[in-house]
């Protein structure tokens, strides 16, 4: 009986001490971390400390810390972070914009690094990925200061642009035992080296893609220091953003096997000219947008479609011939090509810009809007629809003939064409959109055929006043 009582007394003494220890820890921890509890485990959701060297504890209130939540340390003043072995997951954007972060110690329990977890950590030059990691998310280390990285054997998935735009990254290595990825000359491939996954952005000069490659992944060369690239005939497609942001890329040879040029494939690159091979069928949205040094481009007869803003803001482009095989020009296809003076539209084109903007979050874009140097345009008889803003602000355009095949003239389609003096509207036109010719103050002559059933009136974009189809055409007599 006495022994039992003594045992109980010891237990009663120990429990308050343990409780006090557990309670003293969260008081200190809570000053730095916000967290949630789920199924007996802790997720760090925020950090309110002063930065510097930070160690995430193994436990909080006696429960294991198993994950770092999305945006938990977003933009904080960390200089180093130690992640304990209890953590299995690092959330999306967990350390994004931690620009002072120079040292990261990732515990061996981590299996997943979320999308953009260390994006824009410009001070982070190196990191050791432990052998249990299986997944590296999209943009995980994008625009960080990494100089090299080694992918361990355990990794089975690497997201798009995981290491893109890391301007100091010259080498991506892969452990030889990895079953899914490999490297050659510092470039990341799939295991069989048929797909280029990531080309280190800090790797400069020219590069010839090996003949084993059949596809170039999305953002594979994005923001890299390439000056020239040779794409072999074995490659059938260029991924979205494949060479986007390669401002030093001047010379490109595209092999005859390429069928499609992905969205934004060469966007904002340094190209001065490009020959698209006869194998290409489609040119994606934004494919060559903002290639401001591009002066000439040859579009072959094989091309069927030219996407939204495909050549938008190619401000050095002076002439373009669209072959008969092309059936339509996406909104903004050549918009903002301010020096574009000569345009030949093939007889297969059925629409010049679409009726509705396919990217509602972007400003409306006309197929040739802002082509200030364009003095004349021949619209072929194949065209059925002229989309909204199609030729808006083509300030050098003097005459326009809309063929009988056209049924719809879109809103703002010729608005602010201030040099336009004469318009002929074909007998097939049924509707003329809001402000279609608004601001064409030099327009003196226009004939509206009996086929027209609707001449729109409406409100301008800032909702301030009514804008008729011919509003502001004060010199128009008939």
């Amino acid at each position: 009986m006495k022994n039992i009582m003594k045992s109980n007394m010891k237990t009663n003494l120990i429990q308050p001490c343990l409780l006090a220890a557990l309670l003293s820890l969260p008081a200190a921890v809570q000053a730095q971390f916000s967290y949630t509890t789920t199924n007996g485990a802790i997720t760090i959701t925020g950090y309110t400390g002063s930065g510097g060297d930070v160690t995430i504890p193994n436990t909080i209130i006696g429960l294991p810390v198993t994950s770092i939540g999305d945006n938990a340390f977003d933009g904080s003043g960390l200089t180093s972070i130690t992640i304990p072995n209890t953590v299995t997951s690092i959330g999306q954007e967990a350390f994004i914009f931690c620009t002072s972060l120079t040292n990261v110690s990732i515990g061996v329990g981590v299996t997943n690094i979320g999308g953009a977890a260390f994006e824009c950590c410009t001070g982070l030059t190196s990191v050791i990925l432990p052998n249990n990691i299986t997944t590296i998310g999209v943009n995980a280390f994008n625009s960080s200061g990494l100089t090299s990285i080694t992918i361990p054997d355990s990794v089975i998935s690497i997201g798009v642009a995981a290491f893109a735009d890391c301007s100091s990254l010259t080498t991506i290595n892969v452990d030889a035992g990895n079953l899914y990825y490999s490297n050659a000359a510092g470039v990341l491939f799939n295991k069989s080296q048929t797909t280029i996954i990531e080309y280190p952005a800090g790797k400069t000069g020219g590069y010839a893609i090996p003949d084993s490659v059949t596809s170039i992944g999305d953002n594979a060369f994005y923001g890299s220091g390439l000056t020239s690239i040779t794409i072999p005939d074995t490659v059938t497609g260029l991924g979205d953003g494949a060479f986007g942001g390669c401002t030093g890329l001047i010379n490109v040879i595209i092999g005859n096997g390429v069928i499609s040029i992905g969205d934004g494939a060469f966007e904002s690159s340094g190209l001065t000219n490009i020959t698209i091979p006869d194998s290409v069928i489609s040119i994606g949205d934004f494919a060559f947008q903002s290639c401001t040094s591009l002066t000439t481009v040859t579009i072959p007869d094989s091309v069927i479609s030219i996407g939204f803003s495909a050549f938008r803001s190619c401000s050095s482009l002076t002439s373009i011939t669209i072959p008969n095989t092309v059936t339509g020009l996406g909104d903004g296809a050549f918009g903002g090509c301010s020096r574009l003076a000569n345009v030949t539209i093939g007889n297969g084109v059925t629409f010049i810009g679409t009726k509705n903007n396919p990217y509602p979050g972007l400003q409306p874009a006309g197929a040739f809007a802002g082509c200030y140097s364009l003095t004349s345009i021949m619209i072929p008889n194949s065209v059925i629809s002229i989309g909204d803003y199609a030729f808006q602000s083509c300030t050098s355009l003097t005459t326009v003939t809309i063929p009988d095949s056209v049924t719809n003239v879109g809103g703002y389609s010729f608005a602010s064409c201030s040099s336009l003096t004469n318009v002929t509207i074909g007998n097939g036109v049924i509707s003329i959109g809001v402000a279609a010719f608004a601001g064409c103050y030099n327009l003196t002559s226009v004939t509206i055929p009996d086929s027209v059933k609707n001449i729109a009136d409406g409100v301008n974009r800032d909702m301030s006043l009514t804008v008729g189809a011919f509003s502001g055409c004060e010199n128009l007599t008939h």
Side-chain angles (χ1 to χ4, degrees):
M1 184 72 176
K2 289 181 180 179
N3 290 337
I4 293 173
M5 289 179 65
K6 187 179 286 186
S7 175
N8 286 338
M9 287 177 65
K10 286 181 179 179
T11 301
N12 290 336
L13 287 172
I14 290 171
Q15 285 177 341
C17 291
L18 178 60
L19 182 61
L22 290 175
L23 291 174
S24 66
L25 176 62
V29 169
Q30 286 178 8
Q32 298 184 76
F33 304 112
S34 302
Y35 56 88
T36 59
T37 305
T38 305
N39 297 325
I42 297 292
T43 296
I44 302 291
T45 58
Y47 173 73
T48 57
S50 58
D53 298 341
V54 174
T55 298
I56 296 174
N58 294 309
T59 61
I60 294 178
I61 58 170
L63 300 175
V65 176
T66 60
S67 61
I68 299 170
D70 296 349
N71 299 95
F73 293 85
D74 184 346
S76 65
L78 300 178
T79 56
S80 74
I81 186 74
T82 300
I83 300 169
N85 295 336
T86 54
V87 171
T88 60
S89 176
I90 299 173
Q92 295 185 32
E93 300 184 356
F95 298 93
I96 193 172
F97 296 120
C98 291
T99 56
S100 299
L101 186 62
T102 59
N103 183 57
V104 173
S105 176
I106 302 176
V108 297
V110 172
T111 60
N112 175 69
I113 297 177
F118 294 93
E119 185 171 4
C120 295
C121 292
T122 53
L124 186 62
T125 58
S126 65
V127 64
I128 296 174
L129 302 178
N131 287 324
N132 285 330
I133 287 180
T134 59
T135 303
I136 300 172
V138 173
N139 296 322
F141 292 90
N142 190 310
S143 301
S144 70
L146 289 179
T147 58
S148 66
I149 190 73
T150 298
I151 310 298
D153 292 348
S154 56
V155 172
I156 63 174
S157 175
I158 300 175
V160 172
F163 306 100
D165 218 13
C166 297
S167 58
S168 297
L169 184 64
T170 56
T171 302
I172 300 174
N173 294 312
V174 180
D175 285 345
N178 191 290
L179 299 177
Y180 298 89
Y181 298 97
S182 63
N183 70 281
V187 180
L188 179 64
F189 294 81
N190 65 340
K191 188 64 176 179
S192 60
Q193 299 197 352
T194 56
T195 301
I196 291 182
I197 306 294
E198 192 99 44
Y199 184 90
K203 195 175 177 69
T204 59
Y207 183 67
I209 295 174
D211 289 342
S212 62
V213 174
T214 58
S215 65
I216 298 172
D218 293 348
N219 297 92
F221 291 83
Y222 188 87
S224 75
L226 278 179
T227 55
S228 65
I229 186 76
T230 300
I231 301 168
D233 294 345
T234 53
V235 172
T236 58
L238 308 183
D240 295 347
F243 300 94
C246 294
T247 56
L249 182 60
I250 297 173
N251 299 311
V252 173
I253 297 174
I254 302 177
N256 291 317
V258 173
I259 297 171
S260 63
I261 297 175
D263 295 349
F266 292 95
E267 184 176 1
S268 299
S269 67
L271 291 177
T272 57
N273 61 80
I274 186 75
T275 298
I276 299 170
D278 291 338
S279 54
V280 171
I281 295 173
S282 64
I283 299 173
D285 298 344
F286 313 104
F288 295 91
Q289 178 176 260
S290 298
C291 290
T292 55
S293 298
L294 187 64
T295 57
T296 59
V297 60
T298 301
I299 300 174
D301 291 340
S302 57
V303 172
I304 296 172
S305 64
I306 297 175
F308 178 89
S309 293
F311 294 90
R312 189 177 186 179
S313 298
C314 291
S315 53
S316 297
L317 194 63
T318 57
S319 66
I320 191 72
T321 297
I322 299 163
N324 295 334
T325 50
V326 173
T327 57
L329 302 177
D331 287 346
F334 297 91
C337 294
S338 55
R339 297 183 186 176
L340 188 61
N342 300 304
V343 173
T344 300
I345 301 176
N347 291 320
V349 173
T350 59
F351 63 89
I352 300 174
T354 56
K355 178 67 176 175
N356 298 309
N357 181 2
Y359 296 91
L362 298 179
Q363 183 178 355
F368 293 94
C371 292
Y372 307 130
S373 300
L374 191 63
T375 57
S376 64
I377 188 73
M378 178 66 71
I379 299 173
N381 291 322
S382 56
V383 173
I384 297 171
S385 174
I386 298 173
D388 295 348
Y389 307 96
F391 295 93
Q392 183 188 29
S393 298
C394 289
T395 53
S396 296
L397 196 61
T398 57
T399 62
V400 168
T401 298
I402 298 172
D404 294 345
S405 57
V406 172
T407 59
N408 173 70
V409 178
Y412 294 90
S413 51
F414 294 91
S416 301
C417 290
S418 53
S419 297
L420 195 61
T421 59
N422 190 308
V423 173
T424 300
I425 299 176
N427 291 317
V429 174
I430 297 172
S431 65
I432 299 174
V434 172
F437 296 91
C440 297
Y441 49 80
N442 281 312
L443 186 61
T444 58
S445 174
V446 62
T447 300
I448 300 174
D450 293 339
S451 60
V452 174
K453 305 301 180 186
N454 178 45
I455 300 177
D457 199 2
V459 195
N460 69 353
R461 278 175 287 176
D462 64 8
M463 305 299 288
S464 61
L465 54 87
T466 300
V467 180
F470 295 91
S471 177
C473 300
E474 62 264 21
N475 293 316
L476 187 61
T477 56
H478 64 283

